Amino acid sequence: MQSLRILLLGAAVGLGTGLPAAASSSIWYNSEGGKVRLVTSGKPDEAGRIHGVLDIALKPGWKTYWRDPGDAGVPPQLDISASTNIADATFSFPPPQRHDDGYGKWAGYDHPVSLPVTFTLSAPNQPAVIDANIFLGICETICIPVQTRLTVDPGSDPDNAEDAALVKAALATLPTPARPDFGINILPGDHETLIVEASFPGDPAAADFFVAGERDYMFGAPARGEKDGKLVFTVPILDRPSTTPTDGGLYYTLTSAEGAVEGLLPFP
């Protein structure tokens, strides 16, 4: 990916450490294009999960990326291996927007965004400390990799109402599960093409389809078409594994003027 090479070779990596703050959030780490921090809801839920967000405050004119930016950019990454009593951490993503800035087409956000993160405790009834290495791209005309360590002790202020409200608001921005009247049907394609038929409310011009390339899949930007009065997206498969996986699937998000849904589609 050309923009990724620019990102890695053409800009200095920002390094920093966010020590625990006196709340269920980290301090802010400042970079040229904005600042980032981790915020949590403090208390784990009944399933032993702590809900949080990677809070990204972008400056005007800057952007960051969805789980799969496309042929440009790099998705946010989080390594919690240095944490105490944290078994896993999983990002969720608000609906992205599609952009073409003249350097490449990409999926992401050109405004401040809070990416929900679910932290799963190893031992639900024991204290936990989140010690996370964060890597993401924040870009204007060039991309600046932001790499920093953010640390949070969720138990230091478990009843922080402001932090809990921020996490709750971020979770409310997530796409809802796909359903028969708002989702996709897979149409016959070929080895190099994924074709989906979209059902959604509202104006077809406002609808868009995003699929995340994982497990060695890489996708191009979808082309819009119509079949039997339905909006159809034809997505080029730019790369794929030598053997099609048989477990799991690929994350997709379908957006419309009246909201967004997400789901898993079988590996093409």
Side-chain angles (χ1 to χ4, degrees):
M1 295 185 293
Q2 181 64 29
S3 294
L4 180 55
R5 289 195 289 269
I6 293 172
L7 181 144
L8 293 176
L9 297 176
V13 174
L15 294 172
T17 299
L19 298 176
S24 45
S25 62
S26 74
I27 64 172
W28 287 101
Y29 171 71
N30 292 284
S31 72
E32 183 177 348
K35 55 186 181 178
V36 298
R37 64 172 177 163
L38 275 176
V39 180
T40 76
S41 56
K43 296 177 180 178
D45 63 17
E46 294 180 355
R49 299 170 302 185
I50 294 174
H51 297 280
V53 299
L54 179 62
D55 203 13
I56 307 171
L58 295 172
K59 293 180 181 178
W62 290 75
K63 63 213 179 220
T64 194
Y65 297 109
W66 187 58
R67 65 166 78 239
D68 181 354
D71 62 0
V74 59
Q77 300 167 39
L78 184 150
D79 177 2
I80 46 85
S81 59
S83 301
T84 300
N85 195 30
I86 302 292
D88 189 31
T90 305
F91 275 120
S92 298
F93 290 85
Q97 297 82 43
R98 194 173 306 281
H99 302 269
D100 185 349
D101 56 14
Y103 299 93
K105 297 178 180 179
W106 53 276
Y109 315 96
D110 60 359
H111 52 79
V113 63
S114 295
L115 304 180
V117 188
T118 301
F119 299 95
T120 302
L121 302 187
S122 301
N125 298 320
Q126 299 298 316
V129 175
I130 299 166
D131 189 345
N133 282 306
I134 307 292
F135 182 82
L136 70 156
I138 294 181
C139 312
E140 193 181 32
T141 54
I142 64 169
C143 284
I144 298 176
V146 175
Q147 185 172 350
T148 184
R149 177 182 169 192
L150 300 176
T151 306
V152 182
D153 179 359
S156 66
D157 189 8
D159 298 310
N160 189 294
E162 183 177 348
D163 288 349
L166 177 62
V167 173
K168 183 178 180 180
L171 291 171
T173 68
L174 295 179
T176 58
R179 55 184 193 264
D181 64 331
F182 194 175
I184 62 165
N185 288 317
I186 300 174
L187 301 182
D190 54 41
H191 196 70
E192 298 179 350
T193 309
L194 169 68
I195 305 175
V196 300
E197 177 187 85
S199 299
F200 53 87
D203 182 3
D208 208 345
F209 174 72
F210 302 85
V211 58
E214 298 176 326
R215 306 280 288 274
D216 295 328
Y217 281 91
M218 182 182 295
F219 297 96
R224 303 167 65 92
E226 184 178 323
K227 182 178 180 181
D228 300 328
K230 290 273 195 176
L231 179 61
V232 172
F233 293 97
T234 301
V235 186
I237 303 175
L238 304 180
D239 200 2
R240 60 185 303 138
S242 55
T243 303
T244 303
T246 57
D247 61 310
L250 296 170
Y251 288 98
Y252 77 85
T253 297
L254 177 64
T255 63
S256 78
E258 299 184 27
V261 296
E262 64 182 2
L264 280 178
L265 56 84
F267 294 106

